[in-house]
Amino acid sequence: MPPRFFLHVSWLLAGVIALFATGCLSKYSLGGITVNLVNFLPANAALLESSGVMTLRYTNENTIPIGLSGSVHKVYLNGSYVGKAVSKQALGLTALSTVTQDVTVNFENLALVKQLVSMREQKSVSYKVESTLYLTSGEEDLSIKTQSTGSVDLQALSGMIH
């Protein structure tokens, strides 16, 4: 066989190996998941309650479904940290969809929450939610960090704070 044949075959073989190697190295990265605060409600009618229920709206902008095994959400109101919510509840996000979930937030700065709720002339406050979403893919445990900002009405909490 002519030497040119071996040269062409070796280049072809190198190209095929390079294609397979780069295909194996590329890993799909999840993104496009947002978590927005929709509502705050009192957890129950206890007089010294230091928790509330917040409704979160998850938006999955991915073209694949995602199953969350849990989440952690740090909540800030008017720029100040007020508490954290931890959920072990599994949540399924179908492709290109939204879903809501109620989670209990434990207020670590109840004095600030009381102050914000007592301001009757202020209908809403600004919020920031820093979320860490946990999912399992095969034997891998993955986490996705996301952050959102907006405004929310706290007047529903006025019944719990005296």
Side-chain angles (χ1 to χ4, degrees):
M1 293 202 182
R4 290 176 80 174
F5 174 75
F6 289 112
L7 182 63
H8 289 298
V9 169
S10 63
W11 277 108
L12 180 63
L13 184 59
V16 169
I17 289 172
L19 276 174
F20 280 115
T22 58
C24 293
L25 292 176
S26 66
K27 190 173 184 179
Y28 184 76
S29 174
L30 290 177
I33 300 174
T34 56
V35 181
N36 289 297
L37 176 56
V38 177
N39 196 14
F40 260 122
L41 296 171
N44 57 39
L47 182 60
L48 299 174
E49 186 59 55
S50 62
S51 64
V53 175
M54 63 179 183
T55 302
L56 300 173
R57 178 181 300 120
Y58 296 79
T59 302
N60 179 12
E61 296 175 10
N62 294 286
T63 57
I64 60 170
I66 298 170
L68 301 178
S69 56
S71 57
V72 175
H73 311 277
K74 292 182 180 177
V75 182
Y76 299 80
L77 297 176
N78 281 358
S80 297
Y81 176 75
V82 294
K84 184 189 316 185
V86 178
S87 174
K88 289 197 245 180
Q89 181 183 9
L91 184 67
L93 303 170
T94 58
L96 302 170
S97 68
T98 62
V99 65
T100 59
Q101 178 187 40
D102 290 336
V103 294
T104 300
V105 59
N106 295 308
F107 294 124
E108 297 173 31
N109 191 347
L110 188 58
L112 176 64
V113 175
K114 287 180 180 182
Q115 178 186 2
L116 292 172
V117 170
S118 67
M119 296 167 33
R120 298 281 181 214
E121 70 280 353
Q122 188 173 346
K123 292 289 185 192
S124 63
V125 298
S126 64
Y127 76 83
K128 177 172 77 170
V129 176
E130 295 176 349
S131 301
T132 304
L133 312 175
Y134 298 99
L135 58 122
T136 303
S137 176
E139 294 182 15
E140 254 187 290
D141 290 326
L142 306 172
S143 64
I144 300 169
K145 293 188 183 286
T146 184
Q147 178 178 300
S148 66
T149 58
S151 62
V152 65
D153 184 4
L154 294 182
Q155 294 308 308
L157 293 177
S158 62
M160 80 173 219
I161 298 176
H162 302 276

